[in-house]
Amino acid sequence: MRITICGGGNAAHTSAGLFSTNPEHQVNVYISFPEEAGKWQRGISENEGITVSTTNQETKGKPNKVSSSAEEVVPGSQLVLLALPAFAHESILEEIKPWLDEDALVGVLAARGCFDLSAREILDEKANTIPLFGLQTLPWACRIVEFGKAVNILGTKAKVGFAVCPPQKTDQVCSFVTEQLHIKLEPIGSFLCLTLAGTGQIIHPGVMYGLFRNWEGSPFPEAPLFYQGIDDDTALILQRMSDEIQSIKAAILNQFPELDLEAVRPLGDWISQSYAGQIEDTSSLRNYFVTNRSYKGLTVPMQKTEQGLKPDFRARYLTEDVPYALVATRGIAELAGIATPMIDQVINWSQEKIGKEYLLDSKLQGSDINETRAPQRFGFETLETMIEAMFCP
Ligand code: NAD
């Protein structure tokens, strides 16, 4: 099978290296930056492939072709994977659209919110024949060791939430992707469910807000702990954000009781199940984070300035998780008629830190709304029309 992977970062190195170890796959890589594509080509040629290492194993896979021309690598691909940060999804979809075969399958590793609405708008009539699938997160925690040559997998998730548009094709696409890519998937109903169930949208912006909402600019001697730095007030912020998402879920189910939103779970349930055996003290939401061995020692993204270390508000915890996830959920809340005062506080603070305007006068009508995945951006003004587009595309 011909697979084209779009992207040139950590996720692309890992998927290109792993998937091309299968002799039945011909793996191409599309990178829109020619300089980056050149570095990949040189790296692969010197190393004779991409080495993928874990703590106890090392494999090497050699992609067939790397190019910065979509025309050279996309045609004939049965599977096209976007292994990219969310801010690059739309431009890459625009670039590959003319070269996608009618019967191709397009998937996104780490979909974030409302990917289906965004991709269907871009693919337009091509979306009628091309099913889309999205993974809730990347199956691996991975980092490039040497560009174009080697990548390290720090951990592999036991299962990854998985959604398909149209949802009616979920079983078929799930079997195909599992068989071809050997990723353990957990179908979770729909992209709507995947959007609301994302916990990164609560934890990443919520913790940044909790830790730095009163920060006045003094540098830090060292990077503060991210998860272990959560105090009672920050835990309450996370709890309230989670409660608001549960209210959105309840409002949707009230109107559409047939929908499966089972995977939209309260944050405490999610973390206690996802990290079973890793948490020493399960007496409170704060302790789920603070005593979670998987989170031990992880610090806030910081930037070095002349005055010293300061929190890096340009890091993805705000620049990716807010516009492409939390704002999408906030948009769904607006359509469902649910007030989200805590989420609004977090968005208001975040948008100021990253120099954007999403919320204006408590509505998603800010000047940068077109850089988000809020359903309003794609013209949806009622919950009914959005649900219809998501479930009966
Ligand atoms: P990355 O930062 O390594 O990806 C950067 C690459 O994306 C660049 O090298 C370039 O090839 C491409 N890119 C960036 N901007 C672009 C643009 N404007 N146009 C075209 N291409 C562009 O990211 P990653 O670590 O591979 O992560 C991919 C996604 O997976 C992200 O959403 C990330 O949050 C998520 N994720 C990553 C990990 C991980 O361990 N790496 C874990 C969980 C989730």
Side-chain angles (χ1 to χ4, degrees), residues 114 206 255 286 296 350 391:
C114 293
Q255 226 176 313
R286 173 177 179 258
K296 202 171 169 195
S350 306
F391 288 85

Side-chain angles (χ1 to χ4, degrees), residues 4-7 11-12 15 30 79-86 88-94 96 100 105-111 115 119 132-133 138 373:
T4 292
I5 292 160
C6 303
S15 31
Y30 171 57
L79 184 56
V80 177
L81 296 173
L82 309 191
L84 291 155
H89 290 169
E90 293 194 0
S91 58
I92 292 285
L93 281 170
E94 297 276 11
I96 64 173
L100 284 171
L105 175 62
V106 172
V108 57
L109 309 184
F115 173 80
L132 305 166
F133 72 86
L138 204 61
R373 296 257 186 87

Side-chain angles (χ1 to χ4, degrees), residues 84-371:
L84 291 155
F87 51 76
H89 290 169
E90 293 194 0
S91 58
I92 292 285
L93 281 170
E94 297 276 11
E95 288 160 22
I96 64 173
K97 177 183 166 184
W99 314 111
L100 284 171
D101 284 13
E102 266 191 10
D103 56 354
L105 175 62
V106 172
V108 57
L109 309 184
R112 311 281 164 173
C114 293
F115 173 80
D116 51 338
L117 299 183
S118 149
R120 286 185 61 81
E121 184 175 88
I122 292 167
L123 297 182
D124 198 14
E125 76 285 351
K126 281 208 161 187
N128 295 334
T129 59
I130 297 179
L132 305 166
F133 72 86
L135 267 56
Q136 185 140 44
T137 183
L138 204 61
W140 325 277
C142 53
R143 295 289 177 271
I144 295 170
V145 178
E146 206 179 340
F147 203 90
K149 292 185 179 175
V151 66
N152 183 230
I153 297 184
L154 309 157
T156 300
K157 310 221 165 59
K159 271 186 192 168
V160 186
F162 174 82
V164 177
C165 175
Q168 297 79 351
K169 293 200 170 167
T170 301
D171 289 346
Q172 182 192 336
V173 177
C174 183
S175 310
F176 178 76
V177 175
T178 309
E179 199 181 304
Q180 298 296 332
L181 305 185
H182 303 289
I183 297 173
K184 294 203 179 85
L185 302 170
E186 185 176 29
I188 61 168
S190 60
F191 271 96
L192 174 64
C193 192
L194 192 124
T195 298
L196 295 174
T199 48
Q201 65 183 333
I202 302 177
I203 300 169
H204 299 149
V207 173
M208 289 296 278
Y209 173 70
L211 295 180
F212 300 113
R213 68 196 186 287
N214 298 320
W215 178 64
E216 285 173 349
S218 314
F220 289 81
E222 57 186 33
L225 291 167
F226 189 77
Y227 301 97
Q228 288 168 295
I230 294 175
D231 58 12
D232 287 334
D233 288 345
T234 302
L236 189 61
I237 290 165
L238 300 180
Q239 185 61 60
R240 289 182 57 197
M241 292 172 79
S242 169
D243 291 346
E244 288 172 1
I245 293 176
Q246 290 304 307
S247 301
I248 304 169
K249 169 183 170 180
I252 295 173
L253 287 177
N254 193 28
Q255 226 176 313
F256 300 94
E258 70 284 3
L259 294 185
D260 174 5
L261 297 181
E262 191 64 35
V264 187
R265 286 178 287 160
L267 183 60
D269 287 8
W270 173 82
I271 190 171
S272 59
Q273 284 168 24
S274 304
Y275 292 96
Q278 299 285 318
I279 300 170
E280 276 157 37
D281 178 349
T282 54
S283 61
S284 67
L285 183 61
R286 173 177 179 258
N287 285 332
Y288 283 150
F289 287 99
V290 173
T291 70
N292 186 332
R293 281 193 286 277
S294 302
Y295 289 152
K296 202 171 169 195
L298 297 177
T299 55
V300 171
M302 303 296 277
Q303 54 171 336
K304 280 188 192 143
T305 69
E306 281 177 9
Q307 297 85 43
L309 281 180
K310 294 193 174 175
D312 184 2
F313 296 126
R314 303 295 315 162
R316 300 212 178 132
Y317 285 175
L318 299 188
T319 53
E320 193 174 17
D321 285 293
V322 175
Y324 301 102
L326 193 58
V327 169
T329 292
R330 171 58 173 75
I332 296 171
E334 205 165 294
L335 297 181
I338 294 297
T340 53
M342 190 71 249
I343 289 176
D344 288 13
Q345 266 183 50
V346 174
I347 294 177
N348 278 322
W349 176 85
S350 306
Q351 65 182 16
E352 192 237 304
K353 292 292 169 222
I354 61 177
K356 298 285 178 185
E357 184 187 74
Y358 309 126
L359 276 176
L360 177 65
D361 299 331
S362 301
K363 284 202 84 177
L364 283 175
Q365 54 187 3
S367 53
D368 296 306
I369 200 68
N370 282 343
E371 296 171 15

Side-chain angles (χ1 to χ4, degrees), residues 51-66:
T51 307
V52 183
S53 55
T54 62
T55 38
N56 52 15
Q57 227 183 328
E58 199 173 278
T59 53
K60 197 191 276 185
K62 190 169 183 189
N64 171 56
K65 193 176 216 178
V66 178

